[in-house]
Amino acid sequence: MVAEVINGNEVAKSIRAEIKIEVSKLKKAGIEPGLVVIIVGEDPASQVYVRKKGEACNDLGICSETVRLPASTTENELLALIDNYNKNPKFDGILVQLPLPKHISEEKVLLRIDPGKDVDGFHPVNVGKMVVGSESYLPCTPHGVQELLIRSGNDPSGKHVVVLGRSNIVGKPVACILIQKAKGADATVTICHSRTKNLAEMTRQADILIAAIGSPGFVKADMVKDGVVVIDVGVNRISDPSAKSGTRLVGDVDFDAVKVKAKAITPVPGGVGPMTITMLMQNTLKAAKVHHGWKD
Ligand code: L34
């Protein structure tokens, strides 16, 4: 079998077209959704992601502001800035790009964002709502993975999903979303991590394998069964002397080797990445609707 390559850019594009229509409806009623993205320090990957978030906003007619702060910013300065945006009605969503410099507590920062403006879905209030399956802002990457599965015709319902990785931003929440008793979920989920024994034995049982460990090309062909659906969440920059920039982006999956066994597979780049940004746009639209009492 040679896999269908799931085109995340295309799926993202069609969802963005839907969002754009919604945004223009709001704007006709005098409502302009607003998102502020705060980035601390010079991490090159974060710079790219933050730029893409601003571009997506511009494309969809969402008002966006990007605040770039030096790595020397203190925790208190960042918290005070968040307080200001919490109070500012122009902004429906507030996102603090992760990772933060070591001297700033991620936990304190995420707790400070008004849960009603937490379009990342990282505030413990929203995490709690996600766990119990009540309406909330779902974290963008896991939600993007779910949408990608649904829209590529790979509904996870009743399927065995194996998640590689247990991070708070991907592994844990994606497992949580996919076990919900809900449309587009209802999966049986196994979470594997660095201490899992007989890992390949586990991953070979997956109908759907979600790789989110941050290890280039980790998932090899002998770790999957024929006909698996593979969602590669990894974004790893590796050195490649033949590339103009000297580096190349690869996922957590040995794409060429796994592709010949899989039913479907997402590429890196052009898979989950664009979906993350699209789900952020969707959450920002949703926040604007909530803040203005908009009824569909
Ligand atoms: N607060 N921090 C916060 N929220 C988030 O949702 C993120 N994340 C992750 C890192 N930190 C965060 C992102 O935005 C990862 N992430 C992200 C966003 C976009 C892309 C990848 C990761 C993306 O657009 N990837 C492109 C390639 C980009 C490139 O050329 O480097 C792709 O096609 O995969």
Side-chain angles (χ1 to χ4, degrees):
M1 192 182 277
V2 174
E4 173 208 346
V5 177
I6 299 173
N7 188 333
N9 283 317
E10 282 300 315
V11 177
K13 203 167 133 191
S14 73
I15 301 173
R16 287 185 202 190
E18 297 165 19
I19 297 171
K20 199 166 182 169
I21 294 169
E22 291 290 298
V23 171
S24 64
K25 277 194 218 160
L26 262 67
K27 281 185 147 177
K28 279 198 190 109
I31 302 164
E32 187 180 33
L35 171 70
V36 58
V37 175
I38 303 168
I39 172 168
V40 187
E42 254 85 81
D43 180 71
S46 297
Q47 302 275 353
V48 173
Y49 306 153
V50 163
R51 199 190 65 230
K52 285 178 179 279
K53 290 172 187 185
E55 287 167 357
C57 284
N58 287 344
D59 180 41
L60 301 185
I62 294 173
C63 159
S64 89
E65 198 166 288
T66 303
V67 183
R68 293 188 168 80
L69 301 174
S72 59
T73 305
T74 67
E75 187 177 275
N76 280 335
E77 283 167 343
L78 180 57
L79 294 174
L81 186 72
I82 293 170
D83 288 340
N84 276 327
Y85 282 107
N86 280 339
K87 282 183 270 180
N88 187 340
K90 207 172 146 225
F91 294 97
D92 300 289
I94 303 171
L95 181 151
V96 178
Q97 189 70 19
L98 302 177
L100 287 165
K102 283 193 180 61
H103 65 277
I104 300 179
S105 155
E106 182 182 305
E107 194 184 351
K108 269 196 199 166
V109 167
L110 297 180
L111 263 173
R112 196 67 158 247
I113 297 169
D114 176 349
K117 293 193 175 190
D118 171 37
V119 285
D120 248 339
F122 290 166
H123 190 290
V125 164
N126 288 321
V127 176
K129 286 184 176 178
M130 172 186 70
V131 172
V132 298
S134 79
E135 185 70 21
S136 70
Y137 297 105
L138 291 178
C140 302
T141 301
H143 192 201
V145 168
Q146 183 189 33
E147 279 294 331
L148 209 46
L149 285 169
I150 297 168
R151 292 188 186 233
S152 64
N154 295 293
D155 191 313
S157 176
K159 296 283 160 53
H160 185 197
V161 174
V162 174
V163 177
L164 274 182
R166 52 175 156 182
S167 72
N168 286 337
I169 77 168
V170 187
K172 277 190 240 174
V174 82
C176 187
I177 290 169
L178 296 179
I179 55 164
Q180 294 299 334
K181 190 180 176 77
K183 228 174 128 244
D186 285 323
T188 303
V189 177
T190 303
I191 306 181
C192 299
H193 49 76
S194 51
R195 296 297 179 96
T196 298
K197 290 195 179 122
N198 305 323
L199 186 71
E201 227 166 82
M202 308 292 275
T203 55
R204 274 195 293 269
Q205 291 173 42
D207 301 315
I208 298 172
L209 181 63
I210 300 175
I213 44 176
S215 177
F218 181 88
V219 176
K220 307 286 183 211
D222 64 356
M223 294 170 70
V224 300
K225 71 175 178 192
D226 283 316
V228 65
V229 172
V230 179
I231 306 291
D232 191 349
V233 188
V235 257
N236 311 292
R237 215 165 282 274
I238 61 166
S239 100
D240 177 0
S242 73
K244 209 166 46 177
S245 63
T247 65
R248 176 165 63 95
L249 268 191
V250 296
D252 289 345
V253 178
D254 184 347
F255 184 84
D256 293 330
V258 172
K259 190 182 161 186
V260 293
K261 279 181 97 177
K263 168 178 178 273
I265 186 167
T266 64
V268 178
V272 175
M275 293 299 291
T276 295
I277 294 179
T278 302
M279 294 302 111
L280 173 65
M281 299 299 110
Q282 201 176 70
N283 278 347
T284 305
L285 169 68
K286 181 170 166 178
K289 286 181 174 178
V290 172
H291 295 152
H292 292 90
W294 179 275
K295 295 274 176 290
D296 280 317

